[in-house]
Short mmCIF file of all heavy atoms in Angstrom, two decimals:
data_model
loop_
_atom_site.label_atom_id
_atom_site.label_comp_id
_atom_site.label_asym_id
_atom_site.label_seq_id
_atom_site.Cartn_x
_atom_site.Cartn_y
_atom_site.Cartn_z
N ALA A 1 91.72 82.26 110.64
CA ALA A 1 91.92 81.86 109.24
C ALA A 1 91.85 83.04 108.27
O ALA A 1 92.71 83.17 107.38
CB ALA A 1 90.91 80.78 108.85
N PRO A 2 90.85 83.94 108.38
CA PRO A 2 90.82 85.08 107.45
C PRO A 2 92.06 85.96 107.58
O PRO A 2 92.54 86.51 106.57
CB PRO A 2 89.55 85.84 107.86
CG PRO A 2 88.69 84.82 108.51
CD PRO A 2 89.64 83.93 109.24
N ALA A 3 92.57 86.11 108.79
CA ALA A 3 93.77 86.93 109.00
C ALA A 3 94.99 86.30 108.33
O ALA A 3 95.86 87.01 107.80
CB ALA A 3 94.01 87.14 110.49
N ILE A 4 95.07 84.98 108.36
CA ILE A 4 96.21 84.30 107.74
C ILE A 4 96.25 84.56 106.24
O ILE A 4 97.29 84.92 105.68
CB ILE A 4 96.16 82.78 108.02
CG1 ILE A 4 96.24 82.49 109.51
CG2 ILE A 4 97.31 82.07 107.29
CD1 ILE A 4 96.05 81.02 109.86
N ILE A 5 95.11 84.38 105.57
CA ILE A 5 95.10 84.58 104.12
C ILE A 5 95.29 86.05 103.77
O ILE A 5 95.87 86.37 102.72
CB ILE A 5 93.79 84.03 103.51
CG1 ILE A 5 93.93 83.91 101.99
CG2 ILE A 5 92.60 84.89 103.87
CD1 ILE A 5 94.95 82.90 101.53
N LEU A 6 94.87 86.97 104.63
CA LEU A 6 95.13 88.39 104.40
C LEU A 6 96.63 88.64 104.43
O LEU A 6 97.17 89.38 103.59
CB LEU A 6 94.42 89.24 105.44
CG LEU A 6 94.69 90.75 105.35
CD1 LEU A 6 94.12 91.32 104.05
CD2 LEU A 6 94.09 91.48 106.55
N GLY A 7 97.32 88.05 105.40
CA GLY A 7 98.77 88.19 105.48
C GLY A 7 99.45 87.64 104.24
O GLY A 7 100.42 88.22 103.73
N GLN A 8 98.95 86.52 103.72
CA GLN A 8 99.51 85.95 102.50
C GLN A 8 99.31 86.89 101.31
O GLN A 8 100.21 87.05 100.47
CB GLN A 8 98.86 84.60 102.20
CG GLN A 8 99.23 83.50 103.17
CD GLN A 8 98.50 82.20 102.88
OE1 GLN A 8 97.93 81.57 103.75
NE2 GLN A 8 98.50 81.79 101.62
N ALA A 9 98.13 87.49 101.23
CA ALA A 9 97.85 88.42 100.12
C ALA A 9 98.82 89.59 100.13
O ALA A 9 99.37 89.97 99.09
CB ALA A 9 96.41 88.91 100.22
N LEU A 10 99.03 90.17 101.30
CA LEU A 10 99.97 91.29 101.41
C LEU A 10 101.40 90.84 101.16
O LEU A 10 102.21 91.59 100.60
CB LEU A 10 99.84 91.93 102.79
CG LEU A 10 98.47 92.57 103.09
CD1 LEU A 10 98.38 92.98 104.55
CD2 LEU A 10 98.24 93.77 102.19
N GLY A 11 101.70 89.61 101.56
CA GLY A 11 103.04 89.08 101.32
C GLY A 11 103.36 88.96 99.85
O GLY A 11 104.51 89.13 99.44
N ARG A 12 102.35 88.68 99.03
CA ARG A 12 102.58 88.60 97.59
C ARG A 12 102.94 89.98 97.01
O ARG A 12 103.63 90.06 95.98
CB ARG A 12 101.35 88.04 96.89
CG ARG A 12 101.22 86.52 97.00
CD ARG A 12 102.49 85.84 96.59
NE ARG A 12 102.40 84.39 96.60
CZ ARG A 12 103.45 83.59 96.62
NH1 ARG A 12 104.67 84.10 96.65
NH2 ARG A 12 103.31 82.28 96.62
N CYS A 13 102.48 91.04 97.65
CA CYS A 13 102.91 92.38 97.23
C CYS A 13 104.41 92.53 97.44
O CYS A 13 105.10 93.16 96.62
CB CYS A 13 102.16 93.44 98.03
SG CYS A 13 100.37 93.45 97.80
N ALA A 14 104.91 91.95 98.52
CA ALA A 14 106.36 91.99 98.78
C ALA A 14 107.12 91.23 97.70
O ALA A 14 108.18 91.67 97.24
CB ALA A 14 106.65 91.40 100.16
N ASN A 15 106.57 90.08 97.29
CA ASN A 15 107.22 89.30 96.22
C ASN A 15 107.28 90.09 94.92
O ASN A 15 108.28 90.04 94.20
CB ASN A 15 106.46 88.00 95.98
CG ASN A 15 106.57 87.02 97.13
OD1 ASN A 15 105.56 86.45 97.55
ND2 ASN A 15 107.76 86.83 97.66
N LEU A 16 106.21 90.80 94.61
CA LEU A 16 106.19 91.61 93.39
C LEU A 16 107.28 92.68 93.45
O LEU A 16 108.02 92.89 92.47
CB LEU A 16 104.83 92.26 93.22
CG LEU A 16 104.70 93.28 92.08
CD1 LEU A 16 104.92 92.60 90.73
CD2 LEU A 16 103.35 93.98 92.11
N LEU A 17 107.39 93.36 94.56
CA LEU A 17 108.38 94.43 94.70
C LEU A 17 109.81 93.89 94.62
O LEU A 17 110.72 94.59 94.18
CB LEU A 17 108.17 95.17 96.02
CG LEU A 17 106.88 96.00 96.11
CD1 LEU A 17 106.66 96.49 97.54
CD2 LEU A 17 106.94 97.18 95.16
N ASN A 18 109.98 92.64 95.07
CA ASN A 18 111.32 92.06 95.08
C ASN A 18 111.62 91.29 93.80
O ASN A 18 112.78 90.98 93.51
CB ASN A 18 111.47 91.11 96.28
CG ASN A 18 112.90 90.94 96.71
OD1 ASN A 18 113.67 91.90 96.76
ND2 ASN A 18 113.28 89.71 97.02
N GLY A 19 110.59 90.97 93.02
CA GLY A 19 110.80 90.25 91.77
C GLY A 19 111.33 88.86 91.97
O GLY A 19 112.14 88.36 91.16
N ASP A 20 110.88 88.16 93.03
CA ASP A 20 111.45 86.85 93.34
C ASP A 20 110.44 85.71 93.24
O ASP A 20 110.78 84.56 93.46
CB ASP A 20 112.08 86.86 94.73
CG ASP A 20 111.07 87.12 95.84
OD1 ASP A 20 109.88 87.27 95.54
OD2 ASP A 20 111.47 87.16 97.01
N ALA A 21 109.18 86.01 92.94
CA ALA A 21 108.17 84.97 92.70
C ALA A 21 107.41 85.42 91.46
O ALA A 21 106.53 86.26 91.54
CB ALA A 21 107.24 84.82 93.90
N PHE A 22 107.76 84.85 90.33
CA PHE A 22 107.33 85.44 89.07
C PHE A 22 106.77 84.39 88.13
O PHE A 22 106.91 83.18 88.34
CB PHE A 22 108.51 86.15 88.40
CG PHE A 22 109.79 85.35 88.44
CD1 PHE A 22 110.09 84.45 87.43
CD2 PHE A 22 110.68 85.50 89.49
CE1 PHE A 22 111.25 83.71 87.46
CE2 PHE A 22 111.86 84.76 89.52
CZ PHE A 22 112.14 83.86 88.52
N GLY A 23 106.11 84.88 87.10
CA GLY A 23 105.49 84.00 86.12
C GLY A 23 106.44 83.63 84.99
O GLY A 23 107.56 84.12 84.90
N ALA A 24 105.95 82.74 84.15
CA ALA A 24 106.70 82.35 82.95
C ALA A 24 106.49 83.39 81.86
O ALA A 24 105.58 84.22 81.94
CB ALA A 24 106.21 80.98 82.49
N PRO A 25 107.31 83.38 80.82
CA PRO A 25 107.11 84.32 79.71
C PRO A 25 105.75 84.16 79.07
O PRO A 25 105.26 83.04 78.87
CB PRO A 25 108.23 83.94 78.74
CG PRO A 25 109.29 83.32 79.60
CD PRO A 25 108.55 82.60 80.68
N THR A 26 105.11 85.27 78.73
CA THR A 26 103.78 85.24 78.13
C THR A 26 103.84 84.87 76.65
O THR A 26 102.84 84.45 76.07
CB THR A 26 103.08 86.60 78.27
OG1 THR A 26 103.85 87.59 77.57
CG2 THR A 26 102.97 87.00 79.73
N GLY A 27 104.99 85.08 76.04
CA GLY A 27 105.13 84.80 74.61
C GLY A 27 104.59 85.93 73.74
O GLY A 27 104.52 85.80 72.52
N GLY A 28 104.20 87.04 74.38
CA GLY A 28 103.69 88.18 73.63
C GLY A 28 104.29 89.48 74.13
O GLY A 28 105.30 89.49 74.83
N SER A 29 103.64 90.58 73.79
CA SER A 29 104.14 91.89 74.20
C SER A 29 103.51 92.36 75.51
O SER A 29 103.80 93.46 75.97
CB SER A 29 103.84 92.92 73.11
OG SER A 29 102.44 92.99 72.86
N PHE A 30 102.65 91.55 76.12
CA PHE A 30 102.00 91.91 77.37
C PHE A 30 102.65 91.14 78.53
O PHE A 30 103.19 90.05 78.34
CB PHE A 30 100.50 91.58 77.30
CG PHE A 30 100.22 90.14 76.96
CD1 PHE A 30 100.05 89.19 77.96
CD2 PHE A 30 100.14 89.73 75.64
CE1 PHE A 30 99.80 87.87 77.65
CE2 PHE A 30 99.89 88.40 75.32
CZ PHE A 30 99.73 87.46 76.33
N GLY A 31 102.58 91.72 79.70
CA GLY A 31 103.15 91.08 80.88
C GLY A 31 104.03 92.04 81.65
O GLY A 31 104.17 93.22 81.30
N ILE A 32 104.64 91.54 82.74
CA ILE A 32 105.51 92.36 83.58
C ILE A 32 106.96 92.18 83.15
O ILE A 32 107.44 91.06 82.97
CB ILE A 32 105.37 91.95 85.06
CG1 ILE A 32 103.94 92.17 85.54
CG2 ILE A 32 106.34 92.75 85.93
CD1 ILE A 32 103.72 91.75 86.98
N ILE A 33 107.66 93.31 82.96
CA ILE A 33 109.10 93.28 82.72
C ILE A 33 109.77 93.80 83.98
O ILE A 33 109.54 94.93 84.40
CB ILE A 33 109.48 94.15 81.51
CG1 ILE A 33 108.80 93.61 80.25
CG2 ILE A 33 110.99 94.18 81.33
CD1 ILE A 33 109.07 94.45 79.01
N TYR A 34 110.58 92.97 84.60
CA TYR A 34 111.17 93.29 85.91
C TYR A 34 112.49 94.05 85.75
O TYR A 34 113.17 93.94 84.72
CB TYR A 34 111.42 92.01 86.70
CG TYR A 34 110.14 91.34 87.17
CD1 TYR A 34 109.43 90.48 86.33
CD2 TYR A 34 109.64 91.56 88.44
CE1 TYR A 34 108.27 89.86 86.75
CE2 TYR A 34 108.47 90.95 88.87
CZ TYR A 34 107.80 90.11 88.02
OH TYR A 34 106.65 89.49 88.44
N PRO A 35 112.87 94.82 86.76
CA PRO A 35 114.15 95.53 86.73
C PRO A 35 115.33 94.57 86.66
O PRO A 35 115.22 93.40 87.06
CB PRO A 35 114.15 96.32 88.05
CG PRO A 35 112.72 96.42 88.44
CD PRO A 35 112.07 95.16 87.95
N VAL A 36 116.44 95.06 86.21
CA VAL A 36 117.63 94.22 85.98
C VAL A 36 118.20 93.66 87.29
O VAL A 36 118.95 92.68 87.26
CB VAL A 36 118.73 95.01 85.24
CG1 VAL A 36 118.26 95.38 83.85
CG2 VAL A 36 119.13 96.26 86.03
N THR A 37 117.86 94.26 88.41
CA THR A 37 118.41 93.81 89.70
C THR A 37 117.64 92.64 90.30
O THR A 37 118.04 92.11 91.34
CB THR A 37 118.40 94.96 90.72
OG1 THR A 37 117.08 95.49 90.83
CG2 THR A 37 119.35 96.07 90.28
#
């Protein structure tokens, strides 16, 4: 079980790099702005 959740944690790093699992707009000047691709 601990190994599974570790794999999930690292997998979210992949999502960040790919920009395919993202949050909603913050409505302010803070937050992540993703590349155009």
Side-chain angles (χ1 to χ4, degrees):
I4 298 174
I5 194 65
L6 176 66
Q8 291 177 228
L10 296 171
R12 282 309 184 199
C13 297
N15 292 134
L16 173 64
L17 292 170
N18 205 42
D20 63 1
F22 44 89
T26 63
S29 59
F30 56 92
I32 299 178
I33 298 177
Y34 290 84
V36 295
T37 55

